[in-house]
Amino acid sequence: MDRITKFVPITDLRQDAAAVLRALRSGHEPIVIMQRSRAAAVMLSVDTYERMTYEREVLGVLAKGEADVRAAKGISVERVLEELEDLIGEDSA
């Protein structure tokens, strides 16, 4: 999937920050702030930032789980299912 990145000179940001914020909210894509013809910063909407943070946390948990499996750490699926059945049985009582 190709992503079109929007570049905004810092002068435009200074002159009309409200327009840049509207573009962030409506587009859900990052905006690169340029200073002296170089990328200086990246702006994200709050929604995009929160989604990216959540996705990074999920990926971290998955990577840890994969490392645990490779190191033969953890418990078997059968054991998890047994414990789940025990928990469900306790809740029914």
Side-chain angles (χ1 to χ4, degrees):
M1 170 172 66
D2 291 334
R3 181 187 296 185
I4 298 173
T5 302
K6 184 171 183 175
F7 296 90
V8 174
I10 196 162
T11 304
D12 292 358
L13 177 63
R14 283 187 194 125
Q15 291 175 354
D16 198 0
V20 174
L21 291 175
R22 278 192 302 275
L24 279 171
R25 283 188 220 108
S26 66
H28 303 290
E29 293 296 328
I31 294 178
V32 178
I33 306 302
M34 304 295 291
Q35 186 175 34
R36 296 187 182 112
S37 300
R38 293 188 179 157
V42 177
M43 292 180 70
L44 304 169
S45 69
V46 172
D47 291 340
T48 301
Y49 174 78
E50 288 174 347
R51 186 190 78 240
M52 290 173 67
T53 300
Y54 173 77
E55 289 171 356
R56 187 174 55 243
E57 289 171 358
V58 169
L59 288 172
V61 169
L62 291 172
K64 183 184 180 316
E66 184 178 358
D68 286 350
V69 167
R70 286 187 182 155
K73 292 182 181 177
I75 58 177
S76 69
V77 172
E78 291 80 15
R79 178 64 191 264
V80 170
L81 293 175
E82 288 172 8
E83 290 184 17
L84 180 60
E85 287 176 11
D86 291 344
L87 284 172
I88 292 172
E90 289 175 9
D91 288 341
S92 318

